[in-house]
Amino acid sequence: SRDGLSKADFAYKFATVLGFNCHNMERCSIDKSGLLRAYRPKDMRLDVQRFENAVGVNLPTLDDEIKKAAEEYLK
């Protein structure tokens, strides 16, 4: 897609589109979670503009892709 979200924002948005209550969800930095010892980049988004221009397509928005994934999940 042409947009980017953090993993937390993606989880919240996907849960919201599915109609779940997100009040029990809590954001946490991976640095503070103590779950991973290996370094992880903070921002893994990719700028797809160069790809879109080279191939001559417009990729869908992340919101559209989340809605589509939610519809498929609910089937």
Coordinates of all heavy atoms in Angstrom, one line a residue:
S1 N 0.8 -1.2 0.0 CA 0.0 0.0 0.0 C 0.9 1.2 0.0 O 2.1 1.2 0.2 CB -0.9 0.0 1.2 OG -0.2 0.2 2.4
R2 N 0.3 2.4 -0.2 CA 1.1 3.6 -0.3 C 1.2 4.3 1.1 O 2.0 5.2 1.2 CB 0.5 4.5 -1.3 CG -0.8 5.2 -0.9 CD -1.1 6.2 -1.9 NE -1.5 5.6 -3.2 CZ -2.5 6.0 -3.9 NH1 -3.2 7.1 -3.6 NH2 -2.8 5.4 -5.0
D3 N 0.5 3.8 2.1 CA 0.6 4.4 3.4 C 1.4 3.5 4.3 O 1.7 2.4 4.0 CB -0.8 4.6 4.0 CG -1.7 5.3 3.1 OD1 -1.3 6.3 2.5 OD2 -2.9 4.9 3.0
G4 N 1.7 4.0 5.5 CA 2.4 3.2 6.5 C 1.8 3.4 7.9 O 1.4 4.5 8.2
L5 N 1.9 2.4 8.7 CA 1.4 2.5 10.1 C 2.4 1.8 11.0 O 3.0 0.8 10.5 CB 0.0 1.9 10.3 CG -1.2 2.5 9.6 CD1 -2.4 1.6 9.8 CD2 -1.5 3.9 10.3
S6 N 2.4 2.1 12.2 CA 3.2 1.3 13.2 C 2.4 0.0 13.4 O 1.2 -0.1 13.0 CB 3.3 2.1 14.5 OG 2.1 2.1 15.2
K7 N 3.1 -1.0 13.9 CA 2.4 -2.2 14.2 C 1.2 -2.0 15.2 O 0.1 -2.6 15.0 CB 3.4 -3.3 14.7 CG 4.4 -3.7 13.7 CD 5.4 -4.6 14.2 CE 6.4 -4.9 13.2 NZ 7.8 -4.9 13.6
A8 N 1.4 -1.1 16.1 CA 0.3 -0.9 17.1 C -0.9 -0.2 16.4 O -2.0 -0.6 16.6 CB 0.8 0.0 18.2
D9 N -0.6 0.8 15.6 CA -1.7 1.5 14.9 C -2.4 0.5 13.9 O -3.6 0.6 13.8 CB -1.1 2.7 14.1 CG -0.7 3.8 14.9 OD1 -1.1 3.9 16.1 OD2 0.2 4.6 14.4
F10 N -1.6 -0.4 13.3 CA -2.3 -1.4 12.4 C -3.2 -2.3 13.3 O -4.3 -2.5 12.9 CB -1.2 -2.2 11.7 CG -1.8 -3.3 10.8 CD1 -2.1 -3.0 9.5 CD2 -2.1 -4.5 11.3 CE1 -2.6 -3.9 8.7 CE2 -2.6 -5.5 10.5 CZ -2.9 -5.2 9.2
A11 N -2.7 -2.7 14.4 CA -3.5 -3.6 15.3 C -4.8 -2.9 15.7 O -5.9 -3.5 15.7 CB -2.7 -4.1 16.5
Y12 N -4.7 -1.6 16.1 CA -5.9 -0.9 16.6 C -6.8 -0.7 15.4 O -8.1 -0.9 15.6 CB -5.5 0.5 17.1 CG -5.1 0.5 18.6 CD1 -3.8 0.3 18.9 CD2 -6.0 0.7 19.5 CE1 -3.4 0.3 20.3 CE2 -5.7 0.7 20.9 CZ -4.4 0.5 21.2 OH -4.0 0.5 22.6
K13 N -6.3 -0.3 14.3 CA -7.2 -0.1 13.1 C -7.9 -1.3 12.7 O -9.1 -1.3 12.4 CB -6.4 0.6 12.0 CG -7.3 1.2 10.9 CD -6.5 2.1 10.0 CE -6.3 3.4 10.7 NZ -6.3 4.5 9.8
F14 N -7.2 -2.4 12.6 CA -7.7 -3.7 12.2 C -8.8 -4.2 13.2 O -9.9 -4.6 12.8 CB -6.6 -4.8 12.0 CG -7.1 -6.0 11.4 CD1 -7.5 -6.1 10.1 CD2 -7.0 -7.2 12.1 CE1 -7.9 -7.3 9.5 CE2 -7.4 -8.4 11.5 CZ -7.9 -8.4 10.2
A15 N -8.5 -4.1 14.5 CA -9.5 -4.4 15.5 C -10.7 -3.6 15.4 O -11.9 -4.1 15.5 CB -8.9 -4.3 16.9
T16 N -10.5 -2.3 15.2 CA -11.7 -1.4 15.1 C -12.6 -1.7 13.9 O -13.8 -1.7 14.0 CB -11.2 0.1 15.0 OG1 -10.4 0.4 16.2 CG2 -12.3 1.1 14.9
V17 N -11.9 -2.0 12.7 CA -12.7 -2.3 11.5 C -13.5 -3.6 11.8 O -14.6 -3.8 11.3 CB -11.8 -2.4 10.3 CG1 -12.5 -3.0 9.1 CG2 -11.2 -1.0 10.0
L18 N -12.9 -4.5 12.5 CA -13.6 -5.8 12.8 C -14.7 -5.6 13.9 O -15.5 -6.5 14.1 CB -12.6 -6.8 13.3 CG -11.7 -7.4 12.3 CD1 -10.6 -8.3 12.9 CD2 -12.4 -8.1 11.2
G19 N -14.8 -4.4 14.5 CA -15.8 -4.1 15.5 C -15.4 -4.5 16.9 O -16.3 -4.6 17.8
F20 N -14.1 -4.8 17.2 CA -13.7 -5.2 18.5 C -13.5 -3.9 19.4 O -13.2 -2.8 18.9 CB -12.4 -5.9 18.4 CG -12.5 -7.3 17.8 CD1 -11.6 -7.6 16.8 CD2 -13.5 -8.2 18.2 CE1 -11.7 -8.9 16.2 CE2 -13.6 -9.4 17.6 CZ -12.7 -9.8 16.6
N21 N -13.7 -4.1 20.7 CA -13.4 -3.0 21.6 C -11.9 -3.0 21.9 O -11.3 -4.0 22.3 CB -14.2 -3.4 22.9 CG -14.0 -2.3 24.0 OD1 -13.1 -1.5 23.9 ND2 -14.9 -2.3 24.9
C22 N -11.3 -1.8 21.7 CA -9.9 -1.7 21.9 C -9.5 -1.1 23.2 O -8.3 -0.8 23.4 CB -9.3 -0.8 20.8 SG -9.5 -1.5 19.1
H23 N -10.4 -1.0 24.1 CA -10.1 -0.3 25.4 C -9.1 -1.1 26.2 O -8.4 -0.5 27.1 CB -11.4 -0.1 26.2 CG -12.3 1.0 25.6 ND1 -13.2 0.7 24.6 CD2 -12.3 2.3 25.9 CE1 -13.7 1.9 24.3 NE2 -13.2 2.8 25.0
N24 N -9.0 -2.4 26.1 CA -8.1 -3.2 26.8 C -6.7 -3.3 26.2 O -5.8 -3.9 26.8 CB -8.6 -4.6 27.1 CG -9.8 -4.6 28.0 OD1 -9.9 -3.8 28.9 ND2 -10.7 -5.5 27.8
M25 N -6.6 -2.8 25.0 CA -5.3 -2.8 24.3 C -4.4 -1.7 24.9 O -4.9 -0.6 25.2 CB -5.5 -2.6 22.8 CG -6.2 -3.8 22.1 SD -6.6 -3.4 20.4 CE -5.0 -3.5 19.6
E26 N -3.1 -2.0 24.9 CA -2.2 -1.0 25.5 C -1.0 -0.9 24.6 O -0.4 -1.9 24.2 CB -1.8 -1.4 26.9 CG -0.9 -0.4 27.6 CD -0.6 -0.9 29.0 OE1 -1.4 -1.6 29.6 OE2 0.5 -0.5 29.5
R27 N -0.6 0.3 24.2 CA 0.6 0.6 23.4 C 1.8 0.4 24.3 O 1.8 0.8 25.4 CB 0.6 2.0 22.8 CG -0.5 2.1 21.8 CD -0.5 3.6 21.3 NE -1.7 3.8 20.5 CZ -1.7 3.5 19.2 NH1 -0.7 3.0 18.6 NH2 -2.8 3.7 18.5
C28 N 2.9 -0.1 23.7 CA 4.1 -0.3 24.4 C 5.3 -0.3 23.4 O 5.2 -0.9 22.3 CB 4.1 -1.7 25.1 SG 5.6 -2.1 25.9
S29 N 6.3 0.4 23.7 CA 7.5 0.4 22.9 C 8.2 -0.9 23.0 O 8.3 -1.5 24.1 CB 8.4 1.5 23.4 OG 9.7 1.4 22.7
I30 N 8.7 -1.5 21.9 CA 9.3 -2.8 22.0 C 10.6 -2.7 22.9 O 10.9 -3.7 23.5 CB 9.7 -3.2 20.5 CG1 10.0 -4.7 20.5 CG2 10.8 -2.4 19.9 CD1 8.9 -5.6 20.8
D31 N 11.2 -1.5 23.0 CA 12.3 -1.3 23.8 C 12.0 -1.6 25.3 O 12.8 -2.1 26.1 CB 12.9 0.1 23.7 CG 13.5 0.4 22.4 OD1 13.8 -0.6 21.7 OD2 13.6 1.6 22.0
K32 N 10.8 -1.2 25.7 CA 10.3 -1.3 27.1 C 9.6 -2.6 27.4 O 9.3 -2.9 28.5 CB 9.5 -0.1 27.4 CG 10.2 1.2 27.3 CD 9.3 2.3 27.6 CE 10.2 3.6 27.4 NZ 9.4 4.8 27.4
S33 N 9.3 -3.4 26.4 CA 8.5 -4.6 26.6 C 9.4 -5.7 27.2 O 8.9 -6.6 27.9 CB 7.9 -5.1 25.3 OG 8.9 -5.7 24.4
G34 N 10.7 -5.7 26.9 CA 11.6 -6.8 27.4 C 11.4 -8.1 26.7 O 12.0 -9.1 27.1
L35 N 10.7 -8.1 25.6 CA 10.4 -9.4 24.8 C 11.5 -9.7 23.8 O 11.7 -10.9 23.6 CB 9.0 -9.3 24.1 CG 7.8 -9.1 25.0 CD1 6.6 -8.9 24.2 CD2 7.7 -10.4 25.9
L36 N 12.1 -8.7 23.3 CA 13.1 -9.0 22.2 C 14.5 -8.5 22.6 O 14.6 -7.4 23.2 CB 12.7 -8.3 20.9 CG 11.4 -8.8 20.2 CD1 11.1 -8.0 19.0 CD2 11.5 -10.3 19.8
R37 N 15.4 -9.3 22.4 CA 16.8 -8.8 22.7 C 17.5 -8.3 21.4 O 18.4 -7.5 21.5 CB 17.6 -10.0 23.2 CG 17.1 -10.4 24.6 CD 17.9 -11.5 25.1 NE 17.3 -11.9 26.4 CZ 17.8 -12.9 27.1 NH1 18.9 -13.5 26.8 NH2 17.2 -13.2 28.3
A38 N 17.1 -8.7 20.3 CA 17.7 -8.2 19.0 C 17.2 -6.8 18.7 O 16.0 -6.5 18.9 CB 17.3 -9.2 17.9
Y39 N 18.0 -6.1 18.0 CA 17.6 -4.7 17.6 C 16.5 -4.8 16.5 O 16.6 -5.7 15.6 CB 18.8 -4.0 17.0 CG 18.4 -2.7 16.3 CD1 18.1 -1.6 17.0 CD2 18.4 -2.7 14.9 CE1 17.8 -0.4 16.4 CE2 18.0 -1.5 14.3 CZ 17.7 -0.4 15.0 OH 17.3 0.8 14.4
R40 N 15.5 -4.0 16.6 CA 14.5 -3.9 15.6 C 14.4 -2.4 15.2 O 14.3 -1.5 16.0 CB 13.1 -4.4 16.1 CG 13.1 -5.8 16.5 CD 13.2 -6.7 15.3 NE 13.0 -8.1 15.6 CZ 13.9 -9.0 15.9 NH1 15.2 -8.6 15.9 NH2 13.7 -10.2 16.1
P41 N 14.3 -2.1 13.9 CA 14.1 -0.8 13.4 C 12.8 -0.2 13.9 O 11.8 -0.9 14.0 CB 14.2 -0.8 11.9 CG 14.5 -2.2 11.6 CD 14.4 -3.1 12.8
K42 N 12.8 1.1 14.2 CA 11.5 1.7 14.7 C 10.6 2.0 13.5 O 9.4 2.1 13.7 CB 11.9 3.0 15.4 CG 12.8 2.9 16.6 CD 12.0 2.2 17.7 CE 12.9 2.1 18.9 NZ 13.3 0.8 19.3
D43 N 11.1 2.3 12.4 CA 10.2 2.6 11.2 C 10.6 1.8 10.0 O 11.7 1.9 9.4 CB 10.4 4.1 10.9 CG 9.4 4.6 9.9 OD1 8.7 3.8 9.3 OD2 9.3 5.8 9.7
M44 N 9.7 0.9 9.7 CA 10.0 -0.1 8.6 C 9.2 0.2 7.3 O 9.0 -0.6 6.5 CB 9.9 -1.5 9.0 CG 10.9 -1.9 10.1 SD 10.7 -3.5 10.8 CE 10.6 -4.6 9.4
R45 N 8.6 1.4 7.3 CA 7.8 1.8 6.1 C 8.6 1.9 4.9 O 9.8 2.2 5.0 CB 7.0 3.1 6.4 CG 6.0 3.0 7.4 CD 5.3 4.3 7.7 NE 6.3 5.2 8.3 CZ 6.2 6.5 8.4 NH1 5.1 7.1 8.1 NH2 7.1 7.2 9.0
L46 N 8.0 1.7 3.7 CA 8.7 1.8 2.5 C 8.0 2.8 1.6 O 6.8 2.8 1.5 CB 8.7 0.4 1.8 CG 9.3 0.3 0.4 CD1 10.8 0.5 0.4 CD2 9.0 -1.0 -0.3
D47 N 8.8 3.7 1.0 CA 8.2 4.7 0.1 C 8.1 4.1 -1.2 O 9.0 3.7 -1.9 CB 9.2 5.9 0.0 CG 8.6 7.0 -0.9 OD1 7.5 6.8 -1.5 OD2 9.2 8.1 -1.0
V48 N 6.8 3.9 -1.6 CA 6.5 3.1 -2.9 C 6.3 4.0 -4.1 O 6.0 3.5 -5.2 CB 5.3 2.2 -2.7 CG1 5.5 1.2 -1.6 CG2 4.0 3.0 -2.4
Q49 N 6.5 5.3 -3.9 CA 6.3 6.2 -5.0 C 7.2 5.9 -6.2 O 6.7 5.9 -7.4 CB 6.6 7.7 -4.5 CG 6.3 8.7 -5.6 CD 6.5 10.1 -5.1 OE1 7.1 10.3 -4.1 NE2 6.0 11.1 -5.8
R50 N 8.4 5.5 -6.0 CA 9.3 5.2 -7.1 C 8.8 4.0 -7.9 O 8.8 3.9 -9.1 CB 10.7 4.9 -6.6 CG 11.7 4.9 -7.6 CD 13.1 4.7 -6.9 NE 14.1 5.1 -7.8 CZ 15.4 5.1 -7.4 NH1 15.8 4.7 -6.2 NH2 16.3 5.5 -8.2
F51 N 8.3 3.0 -7.1 CA 7.7 1.8 -7.7 C 6.5 2.1 -8.5 O 6.3 1.7 -9.7 CB 7.4 0.7 -6.6 CG 6.6 -0.4 -7.2 CD1 7.2 -1.5 -7.8 CD2 5.2 -0.5 -7.0 CE1 6.5 -2.6 -8.3 CE2 4.5 -1.6 -7.5 CZ 5.2 -2.6 -8.1
E52 N 5.6 2.9 -7.9 CA 4.4 3.3 -8.6 C 4.7 4.0 -9.9 O 4.0 3.7 -10.9 CB 3.5 4.2 -7.7 CG 2.8 3.5 -6.6 CD 2.1 4.5 -5.7 OE1 2.5 5.7 -5.5 OE2 1.0 4.1 -5.2
N53 N 5.6 4.9 -9.9 CA 6.0 5.7 -11.1 C 6.6 4.7 -12.1 O 6.3 4.9 -13.3 CB 7.0 6.8 -10.8 CG 6.3 7.9 -10.0 OD1 5.1 8.1 -10.0 ND2 7.1 8.6 -9.2
A54 N 7.5 3.8 -11.7 CA 8.2 2.9 -12.7 C 7.2 2.0 -13.3 O 7.3 1.7 -14.5 CB 9.3 2.2 -11.9
V55 N 6.3 1.5 -12.6 CA 5.3 0.5 -13.1 C 4.1 1.1 -13.7 O 3.3 0.5 -14.4 CB 5.0 -0.6 -12.0 CG1 4.0 -1.6 -12.4 CG2 6.2 -1.2 -11.5
G56 N 3.8 2.3 -13.3 CA 2.6 3.0 -13.8 C 1.3 2.6 -13.1 O 0.3 2.5 -13.7
V57 N 1.4 2.3 -11.8 CA 0.2 2.0 -11.0 C 0.1 2.8 -9.8 O 1.1 3.4 -9.4 CB 0.3 0.5 -10.6 CG1 0.3 -0.5 -11.8 CG2 1.4 0.2 -9.6
N58 N -1.1 2.9 -9.3 CA -1.3 3.5 -8.0 C -1.7 2.4 -7.0 O -2.7 1.8 -7.2 CB -2.4 4.6 -8.0 CG -1.9 5.8 -8.7 OD1 -0.8 6.2 -8.6 ND2 -2.8 6.5 -9.5
L59 N -0.9 2.2 -6.0 CA -1.2 1.2 -5.0 C -2.3 1.6 -4.1 O -2.5 2.8 -4.0 CB 0.1 0.9 -4.2 CG 1.2 0.2 -4.9 CD1 2.4 0.1 -4.0 CD2 0.8 -1.1 -5.5
P60 N -3.1 0.7 -3.6 CA -4.2 1.1 -2.7 C -3.7 1.7 -1.4 O -2.5 1.5 -1.0 CB -4.9 -0.3 -2.5 CG -3.9 -1.3 -2.7 CD -2.9 -0.8 -3.7
T61 N -4.6 2.3 -0.7 CA -4.2 2.9 0.6 C -4.2 1.8 1.6 O -4.9 0.7 1.4 CB -5.2 4.0 1.0 OG1 -6.5 3.4 1.2 CG2 -5.3 5.1 0.0
L62 N -3.6 2.0 2.7 CA -3.5 1.0 3.8 C -4.9 0.8 4.4 O -5.3 -0.3 4.7 CB -2.5 1.4 4.8 CG -2.1 0.3 5.8 CD1 -1.8 -1.0 5.2 CD2 -1.0 0.8 6.7
D63 N -5.7 1.9 4.5 CA -7.0 1.8 5.0 C -7.9 0.9 4.2 O -8.6 0.0 4.7 CB -7.7 3.2 5.1 CG -7.3 4.0 6.3 OD1 -6.7 3.4 7.2 OD2 -7.5 5.2 6.2
D64 N -7.8 1.0 2.8 CA -8.5 0.1 1.9 C -8.1 -1.3 2.1 O -8.9 -2.2 2.1 CB -8.3 0.6 0.5 CG -9.1 1.9 0.2 OD1 -10.0 2.3 0.9 OD2 -8.7 2.5 -0.9
E65 N -6.8 -1.6 2.2 CA -6.3 -2.9 2.4 C -6.7 -3.5 3.7 O -7.0 -4.7 3.8 CB -4.8 -2.9 2.3 CG -4.3 -2.7 0.9 CD -4.8 -3.7 -0.1 OE1 -4.5 -4.9 0.0 OE2 -5.6 -3.4 -1.0
I66 N -6.8 -2.7 4.8 CA -7.2 -3.2 6.1 C -8.7 -3.6 6.0 O -9.1 -4.7 6.5 CB -7.0 -2.2 7.2 CG1 -5.5 -2.1 7.5 CG2 -7.7 -2.5 8.5 CD1 -5.1 -0.9 8.4
K67 N -9.5 -2.8 5.4 CA -10.9 -3.1 5.2 C -11.1 -4.4 4.4 O -11.9 -5.2 4.8 CB -11.6 -1.9 4.5 CG -11.8 -0.7 5.4 CD -12.4 0.4 4.6 CE -12.3 1.7 5.4 NZ -12.7 2.9 4.7
K68 N -10.3 -4.5 3.4 CA -10.4 -5.8 2.5 C -10.0 -7.0 3.4 O -10.6 -8.0 3.3 CB -9.6 -5.6 1.3 CG -9.7 -6.8 0.3 CD -9.2 -6.6 -1.1 CE -7.8 -6.0 -1.1 NZ -7.2 -6.0 -2.5
A69 N -8.9 -6.9 4.1 CA -8.5 -8.0 4.9 C -9.5 -8.3 6.0 O -9.7 -9.5 6.3 CB -7.1 -7.6 5.6
A70 N -10.1 -7.3 6.6 CA -11.2 -7.6 7.6 C -12.4 -8.3 7.0 O -12.9 -9.2 7.6 CB -11.6 -6.2 8.2
E71 N -12.8 -7.9 5.8 CA -13.9 -8.6 5.1 C -13.5 -10.0 4.9 O -14.4 -10.9 5.1 CB -14.2 -7.9 3.8 CG -14.8 -6.5 3.9 CD -14.9 -5.8 2.6 OE1 -14.6 -6.3 1.6 OE2 -15.4 -4.6 2.7
E72 N -12.3 -10.3 4.4 CA -11.9 -11.7 4.2 C -11.8 -12.5 5.5 O -12.2 -13.6 5.5 CB -10.5 -11.7 3.5 CG -10.6 -11.2 2.1 CD -9.2 -11.1 1.4 OE1 -8.3 -11.8 1.9 OE2 -9.1 -10.5 0.3
Y73 N -11.4 -11.8 6.6 CA -11.3 -12.5 7.9 C -12.6 -12.9 8.4 O -12.8 -13.9 9.0 CB -10.6 -11.5 8.9 CG -10.5 -12.1 10.2 CD1 -9.5 -13.0 10.6 CD2 -11.4 -11.7 11.2 CE1 -9.4 -13.5 11.9 CE2 -11.3 -12.2 12.5 CZ -10.3 -13.1 12.8 OH -10.2 -13.6 14.1
L74 N -13.6 -12.0 8.2 CA -15.0 -12.3 8.7 C -15.7 -13.3 7.9 O -16.8 -13.8 8.3 CB -15.8 -11.0 8.7 CG -15.3 -9.9 9.7 CD1 -16.0 -8.6 9.5 CD2 -15.4 -10.5 11.1
K75 N -15.3 -13.7 6.7 CA -16.0 -14.7 5.9 C -15.9 -16.1 6.5 O -15.2 -16.7 7.0 CB -15.4 -14.7 4.5 CG -15.8 -13.6 3.6 CD -15.3 -13.7 2.2 CE -15.7 -12.4 1.4 NZ -15.2 -12.5 0.1

